Amino acid sequence: MMQPKAGKTTCPYCGVGCGVLLKKPTSIQGKIDSVVGDKEHPANFGRLCVKGSNLSETLTSDGRLATPKVNGENVSWSTATDFIAKKIQQVTHDYGADAFAFYLSGQILTEDYYVANKLAKGFIGTANVDTNSRLCMASAVVGYKRAFGSDTVPCSYEDLECCDLLIMVGSNAAWTHPVLYQRIAAAKALRPQMKVVVIDPRKTATCDIADLHLAIAPGTDAYVFSLLLAESHRHDVLDVEFIANKTDGYADALAEAILASPSIDVIAKTLKVDRALLDTLVKWWLDTPKTVSFYSQGVNQSATGVDKCNAIINCHLATGRIGKEGMGPFSITGQPNAMGGREVGGLANQLAAHMDFTTPGAIDLVQRFWNAPNLATENGLKAIDMFQAMESGKIKVIWIMSTNPMVSIPDTAQVKRALEQCELVIVSDCQEVTDTNAFADVLLPATGWSEKDGTVTNSERRISRQRGILPPFAESKHDWWAITQVAHKMGFESAFPYKSPHEIFIEHAALSDFENNGQRDFNIGALKALTKAEYDSLMPIQWPVTPNSLNGTQRMFSDGRFFTENRRAKFIAIRPQKPQLEVRDRYPFVLNTGRVRDQWHTMTRTGKSPTLANHTQEPYVELHKTDAERLGITHKTLVRVFNETGEIVVPAKVASSWLVQQGQVFVPIHWNQAISSKAVVSNLISQIVDPLSGQPESKHGVVNIEPVKNLLYGTLLSSTKLDVSDCLYHCEIKQSSGVRYEVALDSKTQLDEFVRHQVSVAFMNETLAGCWSEYKNTLNGDQRFVYLIKDVPVAVFYFSKTTINLDRSWLSSLLLGSDGVITDAISPMSETDKLALSVGYVACSEDKGQIVCSCFNVGEKQIQKAIVNGVESVRELGDRLQCGTNCGSCIPELKSFLALNNEVAL
Ligand SMILES: Nc1nc2c(c(=O)[nH]1)N[C@H]1C(S)=C(S)[C@@H](COP(=O)(O)OP(=O)(O)OC[C@H]3O[C@@H](n4cnc5c(=O)[nH]c(N)nc54)[C@H](O)[C@@H]3O)O[C@H]1N2
Ligand SMILES: Nc1nc2c(c(=O)[nH]1)N[C@H]1C(S)=C(S)[C@@H](COP(=O)(O)OP(=O)(O)OC[C@H]3O[C@@H](n4cnc5c(=O)[nH]c(N)nc54)[C@H](O)[C@@H]3O)O[C@H]1N2
Ligand code: SF4
Ligand SMILES: [Mo]
């Protein structure tokens, strides 16, 4: 067996692409003991955010998929890949190549992506290869392509540090790209004259470093940038020479911008922001050549996302603020390898290596390079169309790899119908239970982070190695290997001879360079002759990497030459549009969706970490307190959020210093059905897409909200899993020992029957008989049930008509260890603890409140207490409580507590 070793690799979460060091395991099981930042990696220079710092907690065998399965039966890899190859051959023979599709992910490696794309587009003959990146940055890609003729991110992270004005549009980087955000915050601390503007309908943690926050009306970003273009013209801050010599289409774009934004007053009204705030933005834009516009999902996830991207790019072209230090339109990518997917052409409207089907000569070039017998010649179906084609029976076999569409694609009911209708659903995943796996006919166990080996590209075009440091779990295999096996069984052995990711990478590098002659931006030809040893020790490098740029390329377009046919950039005339769905009487709230600090996507990985569970324990809908009061909704009580597409049932979040505006609500995207049965926000989002990019409008829905009444709230802690799926609401919260559920039941539920049933199922196999301790408060109706075995609690149940105030971490510490094994050797509970059990907290223990600093487990009540006692700065808070002194992810929240206190004092 391969021996675990210490090594450098890359964080598997966000597109910042931080370098990490997996420290040598010291325990006998070979478990990774710690993950630390790689000081030599140019993305993070040793820093890690809270998700990266807690990676080791996710490296457990907990819930891993161990063997391939066909129709629920464990089978060998050989049987599974035979079965898949035969079925693909049968359906493509009977119905044509387009009856097959891959649905991939920005979380597979470049080598995995390359092989999937080659098999489908070159050999099976279908361009039905799409990816979750369609939900993520498809609009940014089309925006760049329209303007530059290529999907080229012009900037580098350094530009964010050396610009004088940073406009962050639709990005909550403090939580979503934390290390980059900290780099920006540090640069601003050194040069306080550097201005930061945040454009976001919500006040977010990112606003902490903002000199100006524009809480614009949802979906109105294109108006902002039309105004900036028109004002640049009105105040003559144009780069006339650049416009004349390096671009086309300026006059038309300007004419539309002037039409859309006749004056600052008009735009202030459209955006619903203060005229004075908008004046400030305009002034700073006009006065500051060194400007970077940094944009993310608030821009991309829109029915007019591409236009919004081009509205931003237009402003940079008009002022010549591109290709120079500290300037440029910088689309930031979300996933660790969204960029790698773009590079291999892993989207349905791309062919390969930054060539499209429409690129002159590309089809012939790729056909010859791959020696492809059956090259697809036209665009395939984009994600949403793909799922619709599955429902209508056109796609009969889908291979889903490294993505969880039952949670992430809009309109969950449609996704479910599609998966049910499809004849063969193959899912490659690391985990056994996911919402999507429930619909799989074939499950293939994939190696996960720390086991898999290959390359990823971060948001600044930097290619880094993810290294296989730990041995693969059970029978899990690399995704490229699984695809290669199927290719062999379909008769394509000679085109898929790969024995290692190195061979795939050098072929990919060679294709990028093949007959390129400077025509295509993506070129890593200088890496095409890497030996295996050189590939294994590859240092992070920004593409293009060519004989002229052997050390990579920091900034693109410094020569003002683009990749359009005439080498000139294109202005695009933009007519701003509002979101398609408008609030009405029946659905009076705008629904916004996005991320929380400590969870990643559908929680199949971060959901394993008890530390990361602390920050945001349950799903929620955040609403403004005026709206909440009007609807009779109080903090933490259960509400139903619904529209014509579906519904969710989650607790309300009312009290917060970062608020949504009146008439708007925010729901996080993370909680899947297995963890919380009615919290998947995709249930509420329609499949409205941008016509150019196919990216769904995931940031915008319209909904209504109502309180759920006549409930009993419950907190259940148990040393083994309970079955709470019948509750009106439940959420499982990861603990370091045992399991905890927050639930809500119908007020008429017979609680003694409920708890006895739970215990009889959960502790069915226990030979030691237990006994009950019960308590009922006749005044308020609160009820407590404790089930003890040998005087040790193994399950505790607390119920109340209102939300419950308990010391949950103390309660869980009373339970048996995480293995839940009850033996004679366990020592019984103390008398004090027994007494305290009836109320739910011990008098002497400190109630920390909601955890804010996950690294040192510091809660909001401790922070508030320290502030009341005179602490005045983040540094003093750190001295006193340690919070904020490790990864720094909680610093914006610490500052908001300090600011809140100042406001109260005023
Ligand atoms: N903690 C954490 N970090 C992550 C991820 C994660 O799951 N968890 N996922 C990664 C991935 S794949 C991605 S794509 C990135 C996403 O990173 P971000 O785009 O920063 O994250 P989101 O929270 O989706 O959305 C950003 C902001 O867009 C705002 N917004 C909504 N509507 C509008 C609008 O009309 N205009 C403007 N200007 N803003 C609007 C929202 O209020 C929200 O604050 O995060 C990456 N990083
Ligand atoms: N409403 C709304 N919807 C959204 C968004 C939003 O902001 N709002 N954001 C969208 C965006 S930007 C994104 S990126 C998507 C993300 O949504 P998804 O891609 O669906 O989310 P993940 O949880 O990352 O799914 C990855 C799956 O792959 C598995 N996995 C991890 N590593 C590997 C591997 O190496 N190989 C294989 N085969 N499997 C692996 C994981 O266990 C998990 O099941 O959600 C999108 N959906
Ligand atoms: S910022 Fe955090 S999640 Fe993103 S790559 Fe770095 S450590 Fe990983
Ligand atoms: Mo994403």
Side-chain angles (χ1 to χ4, degrees):
M1 201 173 82
M2 204 175 101
Q3 280 304 309
K5 54 184 187 244
K8 281 174 187 269
T9 182
T10 311
C11 176
Y13 297 125
C14 83
V16 177
C18 297
V20 303
L21 285 173
L22 285 188
K23 276 211 178 155
K24 213 180 191 94
T26 49
S27 60
I28 351 164
Q29 291 93 345
K31 262 195 181 168
I32 289 287
D33 290 321
S34 72
V35 174
V36 294
D38 177 359
K39 291 198 168 62
E40 290 169 6
H41 198 289
N44 57 320
F45 301 106
R47 284 194 176 104
L48 290 182
C49 76
V50 63
K51 291 187 298 304
S53 310
N54 285 291
L55 267 166
S56 55
E57 284 190 359
T58 67
L59 295 178
T60 69
S61 52
D62 208 13
R64 283 288 297 267
L65 178 61
T67 58
K69 288 176 191 270
V70 174
N71 298 325
E73 299 288 321
N74 290 351
V75 296
S76 66
W77 270 100
S78 165
T79 309
T81 47
D82 268 342
F83 182 81
I84 295 170
K86 286 209 178 80
K87 183 71 186 178
I88 299 178
Q89 279 171 323
Q90 177 246 310
V91 298
T92 52
H93 174 267
D94 294 351
Y95 305 99
D98 290 339
F100 172 76
F102 268 121
Y103 183 55
L104 308 173
S105 156
Q107 293 169 76
I108 57 175
L109 304 175
T110 301
E111 293 75 2
D112 303 319
Y113 245 127
Y114 178 85
V115 173
N117 195 52
K118 179 176 175 182
L119 175 63
K121 291 186 186 151
F123 290 77
I124 297 174
T126 177
N128 287 342
V129 180
D130 217 46
T131 138
N132 64 358
S133 294
R134 184 68 59 195
L135 319 173
C136 183
M137 27 82 335
S139 291
V141 172
V142 180
Y144 279 147
K145 276 167 57 171
R146 285 206 298 184
F148 308 148
S150 61
D151 172 22
T152 318
V153 178
C155 311
S156 280
Y157 294 164
E158 255 180 50
D159 293 317
L160 300 167
E161 294 169 318
C162 66
C163 64
D164 296 324
L165 173 62
L166 176 64
I167 309 181
M168 304 180 82
V169 201
S171 153
N172 185 13
W175 284 8
T176 55
H177 296 95
V179 166
L180 206 45
Y181 175 83
Q182 288 176 20
R183 282 180 62 171
I184 297 165
K188 185 165 159 55
L190 283 178
R191 285 191 309 120
Q193 70 275 23
M194 168 182 168
K195 300 272 191 303
V196 175
V197 177
V198 172
I199 303 182
D200 191 315
R202 276 193 315 154
K203 187 174 177 206
T204 63
T206 305
C207 296
D208 175 46
I209 55 163
D211 301 283
L212 175 68
H213 171 216
L214 288 185
I216 60 170
T220 55
D221 302 78
Y223 291 94
V224 178
F225 289 89
S226 294
L227 175 72
L228 294 184
L229 182 60
E231 292 296 309
S232 306
H233 161 77
R234 289 175 191 136
H235 292 86
D236 210 12
V237 297
L238 304 168
D239 187 335
V240 180
E241 220 167 283
F242 185 82
I243 295 175
N245 298 330
K246 307 288 184 192
T247 71
D248 286 328
Y250 174 65
D252 288 348
L254 177 67
E256 280 292 355
I258 289 175
L259 205 67
S261 57
S263 70
I264 302 186
D265 262 336
V266 169
I267 296 296
K269 286 199 187 92
T270 311
L271 305 181
K272 300 203 173 80
V273 297
D274 242 17
R275 153 93 207 226
L277 298 180
L278 205 50
D279 278 337
T280 309
L281 172 68
V282 170
K283 180 170 173 7
W284 288 351
W285 168 263
L286 296 176
D287 291 350
T288 322
K290 283 178 92 169
T291 297
V292 174
S293 304
F294 176 100
Y295 51 102
S296 187
Q297 300 312 336
V299 170
N300 295 342
Q301 289 172 342
S302 151
T304 53
V306 179
D307 277 357
K308 289 175 182 168
C309 294
N310 284 108
I312 296 172
I313 297 169
N314 281 348
C315 292
H316 282 267
L317 291 176
T319 49
R321 295 172 186 173
I322 187 165
K324 298 177 201 143
E325 194 184 82
M327 304 184 193
F330 197 169
S331 145
I332 193 85
T333 52
Q335 300 183 87
N337 200 31
M339 291 283 276
R342 284 146 77 163
E343 287 148 23
V344 304
L347 286 148
N349 51 331
Q350 301 173 343
L351 174 54
H354 274 209
M355 284 172 277
D356 290 341
F357 291 98
T358 48
T359 309
I363 290 177
D364 172 60
L365 183 154
V366 176
Q367 193 279 322
R368 282 183 289 117
F369 183 86
W370 279 344
N371 197 12
N374 202 11
L375 196 82
T377 52
E378 278 173 19
N379 288 343
L381 295 173
K382 302 184 182 109
I384 298 297
D385 299 335
M386 198 178 254
F387 277 78
Q388 286 173 358
M390 281 158 67
E391 186 181 357
S392 66
K394 289 195 194 100
I395 290 178
K396 301 199 180 286
V397 178
I398 179 114
W399 189 343
I400 298 168
M401 186 172 276
S402 199
T403 176
N404 196 357
M406 274 296 290
V407 187
S408 51
I409 290 195
D411 194 352
T412 316
Q414 193 284 327
V415 177
K416 180 167 180 275
R417 290 197 301 275
L419 291 170
E420 280 169 347
Q421 184 63 35
C422 192
E423 279 181 24
L424 184 70
V425 176
I426 306 154
V427 181
S428 296
D429 205 289
C430 309
Q431 290 299 105
E432 177 149 18
V433 178
T434 75
D435 290 5
T436 304
N437 286 6
F439 296 88
D441 303 293
V442 178
L443 279 177
L444 298 175
T447 47
W449 180 76
S450 78
E451 302 159 2
K452 55 189 200 171
D453 206 33
T455 54
V456 290
T457 308
N458 75 1
S459 289
E460 58 167 359
R461 288 175 280 105
R462 192 180 295 279
I463 299 172
S464 294
R465 289 280 275 110
Q466 264 196 25
R467 293 189 172 86
I469 290 161
L470 293 184
F473 173 76
E475 288 181 45
S476 62
K477 297 281 187 196
H478 305 314
D479 289 316
W480 65 262
W481 183 89
I483 302 164
T484 303
Q485 291 304 299
V486 170
H488 289 186
K489 290 182 174 168
M490 293 182 70
F492 306 127
E493 287 96 330
S494 60
F496 294 83
Y498 318 115
K499 298 274 180 301
S500 76
H502 161 247
E503 294 159 44
I504 306 169
F505 182 83
I506 55 174
E507 182 179 312
H508 164 59
L511 174 57
S512 75
D513 183 48
F514 187 58
E515 296 175 11
N516 187 322
N517 305 321
Q519 295 298 306
R520 310 193 299 268
D521 66 332
F522 180 68
N523 190 345
I524 52 169
L527 304 177
K528 71 181 176 189
L530 289 187
T531 62
K532 170 114 187 2
E534 286 165 339
Y535 172 74
D536 282 338
S537 56
L538 184 70
M539 296 297 280
I541 189 161
Q542 283 176 289
W543 63 258
V545 194
T546 63
N548 295 330
S549 57
L550 283 173
N551 295 323
T553 311
Q554 193 183 19
R555 204 163 285 115
M556 299 294 282
F557 309 130
S558 2
D559 58 358
R561 281 171 65 76
F562 296 85
F563 290 93
T564 50
E565 259 173 61
N566 64 3
R567 293 298 186 132
R568 293 158 76 96
K570 300 267 179 296
F571 280 93
I572 307 291
I574 303 299
R575 188 162 295 182
Q577 311 277 323
K578 300 239 176 83
Q580 287 192 17
L581 296 176
E582 284 179 44
V583 291
R584 292 166 276 154
D585 290 349
R586 283 177 71 192
Y587 303 114
F589 291 95
V590 170
L591 167 69
N592 179 2
T593 66
R595 285 145 177 88
V596 302
R597 196 189 76 188
D598 291 5
Q599 293 298 346
W600 176 261
H601 292 175
T602 73
M603 288 172 73
T604 61
R605 291 188 286 161
T606 43
K608 289 181 166 189
S609 158
T611 306
L612 295 178
N614 279 330
H615 180 261
T616 311
Q617 305 207 341
E618 293 179 68
Y620 61 86
V621 54
E622 182 160 15
L623 71 167
H624 193 275
K625 61 174 186 293
T626 314
D627 291 329
E629 273 163 24
R630 192 168 42 78
L631 296 169
I633 292 169
T634 50
H635 190 50
K636 288 196 175 169
T637 57
L638 206 61
V639 296
R640 193 166 85 89
V641 187
F642 58 99
N643 60 19
E644 275 154 15
T645 315
E647 68 164 18
I648 60 169
V649 178
V650 292
K653 182 169 169 184
V654 181
S656 163
S657 46
W658 294 318
L659 282 176
V660 294
Q661 309 260 328
Q662 273 187 54
Q664 298 175 28
V665 300
F666 177 82
V667 178
I669 60 170
H670 307 287
W671 280 265
N672 63 49
Q673 224 185 313
I675 299 178
S676 179
S677 56
K678 294 197 187 83
V680 174
V681 74
S682 296
N683 275 304
L684 295 168
I685 303 285
S686 329
Q687 295 188 337
I688 293 173
V689 300
D690 182 298
L692 300 169
S693 68
Q695 176 153 358
E697 189 152 67
S698 309
K699 285 276 176 277
H700 192 91
V702 293
V703 294
N704 205 344
I705 307 179
E706 61 186 23
V708 186
K709 299 215 171 105
N710 303 322
L711 289 177
L712 279 171
Y713 290 90
T715 298
L716 324 183
L717 285 128
S718 165
S719 53
T720 59
K721 281 203 165 235
L722 304 175
D723 180 5
V724 289
S725 52
D726 281 348
C727 297
L728 285 175
Y729 164 78
H730 83 262
C731 179
E732 181 180 334
I733 295 137
K734 187 75 188 168
Q735 310 284 291
S736 36
S737 75
V739 261
R740 166 151 76 88
Y741 304 90
E742 298 297 327
V743 302
L745 302 166
D746 186 290
S747 59
K748 296 201 188 70
T749 311
Q750 288 300 320
L751 291 177
D752 36 7
E753 277 174 28
F754 174 84
V755 298
R756 280 173 174 79
H757 173 71
Q758 288 292 338
V759 161
S760 70
V761 177
F763 298 95
M764 200 162 51
N765 297 327
E766 284 306 333
T767 46
L768 298 165
C771 64
W772 285 97
S773 156
E774 297 177 26
Y775 162 82
K776 184 165 184 176
N777 182 330
T778 42
L779 289 177
N780 63 11
D782 281 6
Q783 292 193 59
R784 321 277 194 234
F785 299 84
V786 182
Y787 185 67
L788 304 111
I789 296 182
K790 286 190 71 60
D791 249 7
V792 179
V794 292
V796 294
F797 302 84
Y798 284 64
F799 298 100
S800 173
K801 286 181 185 147
T802 56
T803 56
I804 305 176
N805 193 11
L806 294 171
D807 186 346
R808 291 167 169 86
S809 55
W810 168 74
L811 275 172
S812 80
S813 74
L814 289 184
L815 293 177
L816 293 175
S818 54
D819 50 8
V821 180
I822 299 151
T823 65
D824 283 344
I826 305 267
S827 54
M829 206 179 22
S830 73
E831 285 307 313
T832 341
D833 280 348
K834 267 192 205 164
L835 254 175
L837 255 181
S838 62
V839 277
Y841 41 85
V842 266
C844 57
S845 91
E846 186 183 14
D847 176 10
K848 296 177 170 180
Q850 183 68 48
I851 297 300
V852 174
C853 169
S854 301
C855 300
F856 295 110
N857 207 24
V858 184
E860 69 184 4
K861 291 196 180 158
Q862 292 171 289
I863 295 164
Q864 275 155 348
K865 200 163 134 196
I867 295 174
V868 168
N869 289 334
V871 164
E872 284 181 341
S873 67
V874 169
R875 177 173 299 198
E876 286 174 52
L877 274 174
D879 289 345
R880 178 115 21 133
L881 301 167
Q882 280 188 291
C883 50
T885 56
N886 183 39
C887 76
S889 294
C890 64
I891 289 174
E893 282 148 291
L894 299 180
K895 285 200 190 165
S896 88
F897 282 110
L898 289 160
L900 208 65
N901 191 57
N902 285 342
E903 274 170 34
V904 175
L906 291 172

